[in-house]
Amino acid sequence: RLELAREGTRLKNLFLRDNYGRQHILLITTASKQLDLKALSKQQGLSRLGFASDSRLQQYLGIKPGCVSALATAN
C-alpha cells in the first residue's frame, strides 16, 4: 500500500453541460468547495447547469467517468 504524503491543494474537476446540451464547461475548484449550480448558471447567463453524462464524457473528451481533468480537454 502506497502512502504518499504530498503537499498541495486537492481539486475536483467537474464536466458540466447546460440544460440544452449545447455548451459544455470544465469547472475546477477546491475539493472542499460546495457549489450551487443553479446560482452559477444564473451568474454565467447559462440555462440550468448539470453534470454531463458518461456518454458525453466519452464523446467530447474521450474519457471515462472519474478521469476528468484539464489535460483531458487538451487531448
Side-chain angles (χ1 to χ4, degrees):
R1 179 177 163 174
L2 295 176
E3 293 187 32
L4 302 174
R6 289 190 251 167
E7 292 186 27
T9 302
R10 296 221 180 257
L11 300 174
K12 59 182 167 185
N13 303 303
L14 306 173
F15 190 56
L16 306 171
R17 52 108 184 112
D18 71 352
N19 192 42
Y20 304 106
R22 294 185 197 137
Q23 294 185 355
H24 294 82
I25 299 161
L26 174 64
L27 179 69
I28 302 172
T29 186
T30 58
S32 61
K33 181 80 172 176
Q34 296 266 337
L35 293 174
D36 181 350
L37 293 180
K38 186 176 180 180
L40 179 63
S41 61
K42 187 175 182 179
Q43 177 190 31
Q44 296 300 312
L46 299 168
S47 64
R48 185 176 40 123
L49 289 174
F51 292 99
S53 65
D54 296 353
S55 61
R56 285 182 190 269
L57 284 172
Q58 181 62 42
Q59 179 182 358
Y60 292 105
L61 300 181
I63 59 171
K64 295 179 181 180
C67 299
V68 176
S69 71
L71 292 175
T73 60
N75 185 23

